[in-house]
Amino acid sequence: MNRLMKAEWFRVRHSSGFMKWLFAACVVCTVFPPLINLEICKGTLAENLKASQLMISIFMPGLLAGFSAVIVGIGYRNKTAYYEVMAGNKIFQIIFSKVFVDAVLVSGSVLAVMGLYWIIIGCCNGIGQIGQFPLRLLLLFVVFFSVCANGILILTSFRRLTGAAAAYVWFTFVEVFFLFFIQSLEGRFSEAVMVRIGEWFTMIKLAKIISFEYEITGHLIFTVIAGMLIEGGVWYAISYRGMKKRLYE
């Protein structure tokens, strides 16, 4: 699998200008909240995270999933991804080489740029009321990685560039629809149960991780890790089945 990972890393760095687009995405995700309200740059770290809550929890999952899927999908559009299969590589090696390289690259780059901005703000203006900041950053990376990995797995389930649209729709509309459906059942369950159910959704996880109003609980940590494994496992199974049956375009 090391050979596949090296080949994927080379492809990402030298084709279709992915690195330039990734840098642009990192900058947009970081500077968008301050551009809306320049006064937020004078605020504490907690206030800056609060200002970023809407963008990070609602818009970023779809953006990260779609962008990660496009990186992989270009290979299927250009037919270069088929050489991995023709060379006799094992299916799990093909899938995980893309996940480990592309998902780590996208999620790590975005969080690194945003984290650098937050660290500068914290050093200059103070951290405010936010606590458990290192743990929040770690959980944020796990959620970002999960979103990117699932975007890639959705793409490899379709094995065509249109799968990137499916990845975007999944995190932008489908998850939100299910969240609203669960909230419509609020009267049938206690508030504590509704809170625990809500923490399984990506949007709620992100909102709580970056908000100083919420403490990082054991249940939230569990849903971040377990959610990544469960959702990733489902999409991996779908992708693996399609590749095993050689259902290619």
Side-chain angles (χ1 to χ4, degrees):
M1 189 164 65
N2 287 337
R3 182 174 57 82
L4 286 172
M5 293 177 65
K6 290 179 180 179
E8 182 69 16
W9 175 239
F10 181 86
R11 184 185 70 83
V12 171
R13 289 189 297 121
H14 294 91
S15 64
S16 303
F18 288 134
M19 300 304 290
K20 295 179 181 178
W21 285 108
L22 177 58
F23 177 75
C26 292
V27 172
V28 169
C29 292
T30 303
V31 304
F32 188 73
L35 286 179
I36 295 178
N37 180 13
L38 291 176
E39 292 298 318
I40 199 63
C41 294
K42 302 177 183 178
T44 64
L45 172 62
E47 293 170 339
N48 274 267
L49 289 173
K50 186 70 174 180
S52 304
Q53 188 176 35
L54 182 65
M55 181 199 69
I56 291 177
S57 61
I58 296 180
F59 298 110
M60 281 195 66
L63 174 64
L64 294 178
F67 186 82
S68 301
V70 166
I71 292 178
V72 177
I74 291 294
Y76 286 99
R77 190 195 66 177
N78 297 336
K79 307 299 182 182
T80 56
Y82 297 107
Y83 291 110
E84 299 170 346
V85 181
M86 295 167 60
N89 294 294
K90 295 180 180 179
I91 296 175
F92 82 89
Q93 293 178 329
I94 296 173
I95 295 175
F96 281 108
S97 66
K98 299 181 185 301
V99 170
F100 289 149
V101 173
D102 299 326
V104 171
L105 173 65
V106 175
S107 58
S109 298
V110 171
L111 186 60
V113 176
M114 296 179 71
L116 178 61
Y117 170 77
W118 291 335
I119 290 173
I120 293 174
I121 288 293
C123 292
C124 296
N125 305 335
I127 64 173
Q129 297 172 290
I130 193 80
Q132 304 170 294
F133 184 60
L135 177 59
R136 292 177 190 272
L137 278 181
L138 177 60
L139 291 176
L140 196 59
F141 171 76
V142 174
V143 177
F144 281 177
F145 172 79
S146 176
V147 168
C148 294
N150 284 315
I152 292 170
L153 291 171
I154 292 173
L155 188 284
T156 55
S157 298
F158 283 81
R159 290 169 298 284
R160 62 191 69 177
L161 191 56
T162 51
Y168 177 82
V169 169
W170 177 264
F171 285 100
T172 305
F173 299 105
V174 177
E175 270 212 1
V176 175
F177 169 79
F178 281 115
L179 178 60
F180 285 153
F181 174 75
I182 294 296
Q183 290 180 336
S184 69
L185 305 176
E186 187 173 0
R188 302 184 182 183
F189 301 97
S190 66
E191 183 179 353
V193 171
M194 292 300 298
V195 168
R196 287 181 173 269
I197 294 176
E199 288 181 348
W200 284 95
F201 290 87
T202 302
M203 184 172 66
I204 302 299
K205 293 175 188 176
L206 290 172
K208 289 190 173 183
I209 288 172
I210 65 173
S211 177
F212 66 86
E213 298 171 349
Y214 297 97
E215 182 182 357
I216 302 299
T217 63
H219 184 264
L220 180 59
I221 296 174
F222 173 75
T223 58
V224 168
I225 298 174
M228 175 183 64
L229 297 177
I230 294 172
E231 190 172 4
V234 170
W235 284 114
Y236 172 79
I238 296 172
S239 179
Y240 185 92
R241 181 178 181 275
M243 288 188 176
K244 191 175 183 61
K245 290 182 174 294
R246 300 181 180 179
L247 301 176
Y248 290 92
E249 190 176 48

